[in-house]
Amino acid sequence: MDWLSGWEFTGWTVRQVALAGGISGALVVLWFFFRPRPPRFEVASHVLWDEVAPKNRNPLVKELLMLLLQLLMVVAVAVALGDPRFVPE
């Protein structure tokens, strides 16, 4: 990969960054699957809200999007721990 030439990690090594990112990412995914879910119950105004703002969206899409954003944050933090710097050749 030519576009990566010249970059090096001055903080953690690549192996340490990959290990920290992998473990943190696995913990985020495990938390996603085994987190406690809040109880769902209907309230009296539920019928009114359905008329004003009907639910057309799939809640799974929102949850998967949030999981993707959390994993992107884990990758960003892991790369930041490596303290990447451009060293011209």
Side-chain angles (χ1 to χ4, degrees), residues 5-29:
S5 63
W7 286 95
E8 65 180 31
F9 284 137
T10 58
W12 287 9
T13 64
V14 174
R15 182 174 294 188
Q16 290 172 329
V17 168
L19 184 65
I23 290 173
S24 300
L27 289 174
V28 167
V29 171

Side-chain angles (χ1 to χ4, degrees), residues 26-40 58-70:
L27 289 174
V28 167
V29 171
L30 284 174
W31 176 255
F32 175 76
F33 285 118
F34 297 115
R35 70 174 184 238
R37 310 258 186 217
R40 299 188 73 133
N58 187 355
L60 182 62
V61 172
K62 179 182 173 186
E63 289 187 15
L64 289 177
L65 180 63
M66 297 309 291
L67 175 64
L68 178 67
L69 289 174
Q70 290 171 358

Side-chain angles (χ1 to χ4, degrees), residues 32-77:
F32 175 76
F33 285 118
F34 297 115
R35 70 174 184 238
R37 310 258 186 217
R40 299 188 73 133
F41 53 90
E42 288 191 26
V43 292
S45 64
H46 180 70
V47 176
L48 296 174
W49 279 110
D50 280 343
E51 292 176 7
V52 175
K55 290 184 179 180
N56 295 349
R57 290 186 248 162
N58 187 355
L60 182 62
V61 172
K62 179 182 173 186
E63 289 187 15
L64 289 177
L65 180 63
M66 297 309 291
L67 175 64
L68 178 67
L69 289 174
Q70 290 171 358
L71 289 174
L72 285 174
M73 285 188 284
V74 165
V75 168
V77 169

